[in-house]
Coordinates of all heavy atoms in Angstrom, one line a residue:
Y17 N -14.2 -37.8 -1.4 CA -13.1 -37.8 -2.4 C -11.9 -37.1 -1.9 O -12.1 -36.1 -1.1 CB -13.6 -37.2 -3.8 CG -14.8 -37.9 -4.4 CD1 -16.1 -37.4 -4.1 CD2 -14.6 -38.9 -5.2 CE1 -17.2 -38.0 -4.7 CE2 -15.7 -39.6 -5.8 CZ -17.0 -39.1 -5.5 OH -18.0 -39.7 -6.1
S18 N -10.8 -37.5 -2.3 CA -9.6 -36.8 -1.8 C -8.6 -36.9 -2.9 O -8.6 -37.8 -3.8 CB -9.1 -37.4 -0.5 OG -8.6 -38.7 -0.7
L19 N -7.6 -36.0 -2.8 CA -6.5 -36.0 -3.7 C -5.2 -36.2 -3.0 O -5.1 -35.6 -1.9 CB -6.5 -34.6 -4.5 CG -5.5 -34.3 -5.5 CD1 -5.7 -35.2 -6.7 CD2 -5.6 -32.9 -6.0
S20 N -4.4 -36.9 -3.5 CA -3.1 -37.2 -2.9 C -2.3 -35.9 -2.7 O -2.3 -35.1 -3.6 CB -2.3 -38.2 -3.7 OG -1.0 -38.2 -3.3
P21 N -1.7 -35.7 -1.5 CA -0.9 -34.5 -1.3 C 0.3 -34.4 -2.3 O 0.8 -33.3 -2.6 CB -0.4 -34.6 0.1 CG -0.8 -36.0 0.6 CD -1.7 -36.6 -0.4
F22 N 0.7 -35.5 -2.9 CA 1.7 -35.5 -3.9 C 1.2 -35.0 -5.2 O 2.0 -34.6 -6.1 CB 2.4 -36.8 -4.0 CG 3.0 -37.3 -2.7 CD1 2.4 -38.3 -2.0 CD2 4.2 -36.7 -2.2 CE1 3.0 -38.7 -0.8 CE2 4.7 -37.1 -1.1 CZ 4.1 -38.1 -0.3
E23 N 0.0 -35.0 -5.5 CA -0.6 -34.5 -6.7 C -1.1 -33.1 -6.6 O -1.5 -32.5 -7.7 CB -1.8 -35.5 -7.1 CG -1.4 -36.8 -7.4 CD -2.5 -37.7 -7.8 OE1 -3.6 -37.2 -8.3 OE2 -2.5 -38.9 -7.6
Q24 N -1.1 -32.5 -5.5 CA -1.6 -31.2 -5.3 C -0.5 -30.1 -5.6 O 0.7 -30.4 -5.4 CB -2.1 -30.9 -3.9 CG -3.3 -31.8 -3.5 CD -3.8 -31.4 -2.1 OE1 -3.9 -30.3 -1.8 NE2 -3.9 -32.4 -1.3
R25 N -0.9 -29.0 -6.0 CA 0.1 -27.9 -6.0 C -0.3 -26.9 -5.0 O -1.4 -26.3 -5.1 CB 0.1 -27.2 -7.4 CG 0.6 -28.2 -8.5 CD 0.9 -27.5 -9.8 NE -0.2 -26.5 -10.2 CZ -0.1 -25.8 -11.2 NH1 0.9 -25.8 -12.0 NH2 -1.2 -25.0 -11.5

Side-chain angles (χ1 to χ4, degrees):
Y17 298 96
S18 64
L19 183 64
S20 168
F22 299 106
E23 295 180 25
Q24 298 182 48
R25 294 192 314 174

